[in-house]
Amino acid sequence: MTNNVSIFETALAIRPHLSQLLGTEAGEQMRQQLDQLLKQAQAGESIEDSIWDLLTDTRATRNWVTQFQQTNGTQKGFNPLAGDISEISARQFKCPQCDYTWSRDRIGRPTPLCEVHNVPLEPV
């Protein structure tokens, strides 16, 4: 369950920085949501994807999570299945009007619009 440990470590590490990243009110709101999800995890619920979705919901927290994971050598991992993965759609997308990029963290997750220009992101 090393994948889950990375998510939980990241969640605990970002908590003290949420107000700085998002502002006082939004930071406190995300902290409360995160605390609730962590309580659910302690109760044995499998909510890793919900934690990941929350942590990567905003550009500021997504950037912080990426930096934290790169610095600490952890990544939201997965155990790849054997076989050809060439059929998997693009994992990284870029705004055609600016340098905003977004990475798909799991198959099936819809590609968002650019946070700045509100236009569809294009595969890189």
Side-chain angles (χ1 to χ4, degrees):
M1 249 168 131
T2 55
N3 302 346
N4 300 344
V5 172
S6 299
I7 294 167
F8 297 133
E9 287 174 347
T10 303
L12 293 172
I14 198 172
R15 283 183 77 253
H17 304 283
L18 290 173
S19 292
Q20 179 184 5
L21 293 168
L22 303 173
T24 304
E25 188 175 322
E28 183 57 32
Q29 182 179 10
M30 184 177 279
R31 185 180 353 269
Q32 289 174 2
Q33 291 173 316
L34 186 56
D35 287 348
Q36 181 60 39
L37 290 171
L38 291 170
K39 285 179 186 175
Q40 289 176 261
Q42 285 181 322
E45 294 182 43
S46 180
I47 46 77
E48 293 82 8
D49 285 343
S50 296
I51 292 174
W52 186 255
D53 290 345
L54 180 64
L55 294 179
T56 58
D57 187 47
T58 69
R59 187 176 198 172
T61 57
R62 188 171 42 250
N63 289 343
W64 192 96
V65 165
T66 300
Q67 182 65 37
F68 176 81
Q69 290 182 341
Q70 288 173 348
T71 302
N72 293 287
T74 60
Q75 293 184 357
K76 182 183 188 293
F78 62 96
N79 294 324
L81 300 173
D84 182 14
I85 61 168
S86 60
E87 297 300 316
I88 296 175
S89 61
R91 291 186 48 101
Q92 212 170 33
F93 300 82
K94 183 179 183 319
C95 175
Q97 299 177 16
C98 69
D99 64 352
Y100 175 74
T101 58
W102 176 82
S103 296
R104 177 175 285 133
D105 59 345
R106 66 177 185 259
I107 295 173
R109 184 171 202 160
T111 306
L113 299 176
C114 173
E115 294 178 354
V116 177
H117 298 101
N118 205 33
V119 297
L121 300 178
E122 298 176 347
V124 175

